[in-house]
Amino acid sequence: MSRHAGTRGKTQFAATALALVMAVGLAGCGTDRMSTGSIGSSRGPAVETMSASQLQNAANSLGQSYARNPDDKGLAIKYATVLQMNGDADQSLAVMRKLAIAYPKDRDVLAAYGKALAANGQLQPALDAVRRAQTPEYPDWKLVSAEGAILDQLGQKDQARDLYRKALELKPNEPTVLSNLGMSYLLGGDLRMAETYLRSAAGQPHADSRVRQNLALVVGLQGRFDEAEKIASQELPPDQAAANVAYLRKMLSQQNAWNQLKKQDKGSADSETNTN
């Protein structure tokens, strides 16, 4: 998405924000902007709260089961999701491509295939897959939000936000959609608007760890590190929460990004004032 941002500052901001999202994810909370949802069982942690070692163990276990039964739709989607979060985007896409051949009209499969394509950087094919999965007369809010997330990555932020709002009409106050909308503003450099939507998302009854970690990210990007760590530590182990915030501090310090972010945030506010 950063190559469509329009200015060098916004390009650097988007790259920094994406790097931070990835870092937080590797530390143990999934930040997939297309919201795959939990695949954890009652016997173990949900995938979005797994540590790197837990993700690797889950990938190994699911891989063995998948090898025995590759046409099991639910199993294949779970395996592909864990592979994505474990950084194995190519393998995840291979699993989903095979499943899409076996289930060419299945909405769940097409949606998951679209997510795998997007994770692999194949955004236009991802958009096509998600749109094929959609049924216009009975639109699925999850697919509407997923389409918005892909458009966001293509730099089409206005169209993406229109889709998030459409998804919210279909599913009012849905935390994953509110989170996607907040992340859209974050990647556009409007930190205060991002925080507004992410706080709304985190306040919903069914908000999951990823939503709250995204809120921690945008709070930290504004320099409120103690508050960010407090939010992150609600679900993550203290050492992981501290590691996330430490990484955030380091990134902002190394790239002189904090001053840049303040200027961009102020510029966004001034622009809004002039518009009004």
Side-chain angles (χ1 to χ4, degrees), residues 52-259:
S53 61
Q54 288 173 322
L55 278 171
Q56 186 59 56
N57 290 337
N60 292 340
S61 176
L62 286 167
Q64 293 173 8
S65 299
Y66 173 77
R68 293 191 294 269
N69 194 3
D71 292 329
D72 183 316
K73 184 179 81 171
L75 175 62
I77 291 175
K78 289 179 181 180
Y79 183 39
T81 299
V82 168
L83 287 170
Q84 276 183 37
M85 295 190 67
N86 203 33
D88 296 327
D90 289 343
Q91 189 177 353
S92 173
L93 178 56
V95 170
M96 287 312 308
R97 181 172 284 128
K98 181 175 181 179
L99 196 66
I101 292 172
Y103 297 88
K105 296 182 179 180
D106 188 287
R107 295 177 74 181
D108 293 336
V109 171
L110 286 172
Y113 181 40
K115 294 173 186 179
L117 285 164
N120 206 263
Q122 300 183 38
L123 298 178
Q124 192 58 54
L127 190 62
D128 294 341
V130 168
R131 284 175 172 170
R132 279 193 293 129
Q134 188 62 275
T135 304
E137 61 271 28
Y138 299 108
D140 184 331
W141 66 266
K142 294 178 184 177
L143 292 172
V144 174
S145 185
E147 182 179 349
I150 296 169
L151 290 177
D152 242 337
Q153 294 174 73
L154 287 167
Q156 300 176 36
K157 66 178 186 302
D158 292 336
Q159 298 94 318
R161 292 170 192 173
D162 285 344
L163 286 171
Y164 297 142
R165 293 184 177 101
K166 179 180 177 181
L168 286 170
E169 290 176 3
L170 296 169
K171 185 75 171 178
N173 299 318
E174 169 55 40
T176 58
V177 181
L178 288 168
S179 180
N180 278 356
L181 189 50
M183 293 300 285
S184 177
Y185 280 103
L186 186 155
L187 292 175
D190 190 340
L191 299 180
R192 282 180 283 187
M193 186 65 78
E195 183 178 349
T196 296
Y197 281 109
L198 285 164
R199 282 201 180 278
S200 178
Q204 302 304 318
H206 303 297
D208 66 18
S209 175
R210 291 163 301 170
V211 172
R212 283 180 278 273
Q213 299 309 316
N214 285 344
L215 174 59
L217 171 65
V218 78
V219 168
L221 282 169
Q222 294 175 82
R224 288 152 35 213
F225 298 113
D226 290 343
E227 183 182 352
E229 188 169 343
K230 183 178 179 181
I231 294 169
S233 63
Q234 289 178 10
E235 289 149 318
L236 293 181
D239 58 338
Q240 288 185 7
N244 286 351
V245 173
Y247 183 85
L248 183 59
R249 285 179 183 269
K250 181 179 178 182
M251 285 288 293
L252 294 178
S253 173
Q254 284 181 344
Q255 300 187 19
N256 195 26
W258 170 227
N259 289 331

